[in-house]
Amino acid sequence: MPSYYAQIAADGRVVGRCEYPEPFVHGSLVPLTEEQYGQPGLLFARYADGVLAGTAALLTADKGELAADGADAIRVRLLIGDWMSRLDESFSGVVPVSVQGQTQPVQVSGGIATFTVTSREPGLLRIATQGLDRNAELYVKAVKPGER
């Protein structure tokens, strides 16, 4: 049975993963379970005080298109999870969110936040979190009024 490891940089960031046919000891390797090894968020985690940690975001919208009239809105839901993509109900705080390059603070409580987005300009809107270990982005389409 193979042994699984995360390679840790000097600042604690996970920079790689590897498996060996038998246990292996090295100062920059941290043993993992098979489940941890298979997590897509592993390379966004950090290792401190004997624990892997990290924040990951997920953005979803109630619809993929809105009228570019400044009144029609989409509701965006922001979920904050850990590096294994489990909801982090203990996370509360402000997460910077960029909408078309304009950053606004979004207050998260219990790992969840909702906010609305409107547009007066047609086109593809990019909504993205900033400052997390694994940020999320979401695209929605703003169309000229009457084209929906």
Side-chain angles (χ1 to χ4, degrees), residues 54-89:
T55 52
L58 174 67
L59 291 167
T60 59
D62 63 346
K63 56 187 178 181
E65 188 175 282
L66 72 152
D69 60 6
D72 192 16
I74 59 165
R75 281 181 55 114
V76 178
R77 187 171 192 201
L78 168 60
L79 301 175
I80 302 295
D82 65 8
W83 70 275
M84 290 181 72
S85 299
R86 299 175 296 208
L87 180 65
D88 185 353
E89 294 177 358

Side-chain angles (χ1 to χ4, degrees), residues 2-35:
S3 297
Y4 302 100
Y5 299 91
Q7 182 181 1
I8 309 299
D11 65 356
R13 295 264 177 213
V14 175
V15 294
R17 63 183 186 169
C18 55
E19 69 179 85
Y20 290 100
E22 55 190 57
F24 187 83
V25 176
H26 189 276
S28 68
L29 297 180
V30 173
L32 300 172
T33 66
E34 186 173 356
E35 178 188 16

